Amino acid sequence: MKAGTERKIKFIFTNYQLYLLLFPTIVFFVVFRYIPMYGVQIAFRDYMVTKGFLGSEWVGLKHFERFFQTPDFWMLIQNTLGISLYNLMAGFPLPIIVALLLHQLNHKGYKRFIQTTLYAPHFISIVVLVGIILVFLSPRHGLINHLIRLLGGETVFFMGKPEYFKSIYVLSGVWQSTGWGTVIYLAALSNISPELYESSIVDGANKWQRMLHIDLPGILPTAIILLILNSGYMLSVGFEKIYLMQNSLNRTTSEVISTYVYKTGLINAQYSYSSAIGLFDAVINLFILIIVNRLARKFSETSLW
Amino acid sequence: MNNKLKRGRGDLVFDIINYTLLTLGMLMVLYPLYFIVIGSVSDPNAVYEGRVYLLPRGVTLDGYRRIFKEESIWTGYGNTFLYTFSGTALNVVLTISAAFTLSRKSLPGRNFFMFMIIFTMFFNGGLIPSYLLVQRLGLIDKIWALIFPVAVGPWNLIIARTFFQTSIPDELCEAAYIDGSSHIHMFIRVVLPLSRALIAIMVLFYAIAHWNSYFSALIYLRSESKYPLQLILRNILIENDVSSSMVYDAYSVGEKQKLADLIKFGVIIVSSIPVLILYPFVQKYFVQGVMIGAIKG
């Protein structure tokens, strides 16, 4: 034990240069990731700029209680969870299906062409994506409404109708990220041993059967890991896209926790109150992640830890 | 024999369905992108009235001419280049050097540091404490506010570490030490030349993220002269705030809106050009990067 410690200390001294390479990164994580975690205590205080993190008065759970009692609370939870679940149900299986299909495509050149096209939207910025959505859905001269009128329908004011918001958000996300989502599954598929295919062909299995009985089980562990990782972000629907898609007409379905935190915190400067909401959000997320990971460990062989 | 025949027919049906589905999916992804391209060179009246579907009509470069004359776009372009370049440089240097150290299996404290880094992927202090920190550090309205708070991405660090673990064996390093090289010397002379693919992946991952980001700029920057391209784009595309200098010659509100739409299509293309140029490399290296990440390290 003592000899082990001594050896370690000796290692650290003789290899100080290795730690030197690591040092700036550790400083970064401490300053920009751990200090804000320490600073989150303002959620339990009435933060005053002049008094600082520690000097501000301790008020316990006051801000949390206020949040739970605000009339917007249930709307926020409902919108955030609703969008998350919708997104998961539409966005999670599709890359798996597309990857399975792509994997069975024999023509290499055509496969590559399709992949190149499907990946492209991933590299479009969120601002541009939302810009595209707005141009296409514009009520008077957007392409979609031109088509609707051409088919004899009535003009639809998509961005002004709260009932369309979730679908627009989720489906545009599917358009943007399905292709890129297949990459990780294709990587897993390429690791499946060719012997499995050979013996299944000898046994008379057709492509459909091979896909179902070899490919699908082959990517299941990857799918489970991704599902667990996704579950850890259940209550944190990305701020960036929602914020750009929001307007006063669709707010009843588009306001989510992250946009609410931004507005109360940075626009209205209620630092403590919105920190409390952010903390509530982060804790619930961590909690869901732990539960899902435990379930995954129980019902399958795969888990994060 | 019979079996084989049956399989053959089943596979043929499968292939037909498969090709059809994937081709349809591909067209659904491609068409909106294609439409923006033809929209940006078509007569705005034709787009406005819904006469443009498959081919451009009344081809014009008017939209691009207006964009090229608009100063704010080029200031934004310049700013974004600066932020992307300096941000990426810092990102790559920090990520790669830290990942190399963390890839050495004999390093005391390795698991502790890894846990410390990975934990931040699942829990963080949130928007407000981070904002207050940046404010305290006096970085508001400084370019550093866009660079320091995102100096290292944990996910990229994991990818880089996995790369080093699988491609730079401990023995290679030990051999170098026996020859009397120091760690830093050996990192620069031996490890980096072996890691060109990884460096390319990291540069592209980080650079695209910087190029496309608008949120940090939205909350930390105050002066418009420092706005990156994405914030300028936001004004034009989302707020519909096409500056009057771009449509000065429009004689009515309707006319102005038509020109504004033409400009929007063009701006989408112009802002994506650097990414489009890089796209072939991006695709190759991004896929490689995800593959490395897929080997659970």
Side-chain angles (χ1 to χ4, degrees), chain A residues 1 6 17 48 67 71 128 133 224:
Chain A
M1 175 77 191
E6 236 168 62
Q17 286 194 339
M48 311 262 265
F67 176 54
V128 168
I133 296 173
I224 292 173

Side-chain angles (χ1 to χ4, degrees), chain A residues 95-126:
Chain A
I96 300 179
I97 296 168
V98 175
L100 289 173
L101 293 180
L102 273 172
H103 191 61
Q104 296 291 350
L105 219 54
N106 301 330
H107 194 286
K108 287 278 172 293
Y110 192 58
K111 182 179 169 188
R112 171 155 304 212
F113 171 67
I114 289 189
Q115 282 175 297
T116 307
T117 312
L118 294 185
Y119 297 165
H122 174 75
F123 301 97
I124 293 175
S125 77
I126 294 172

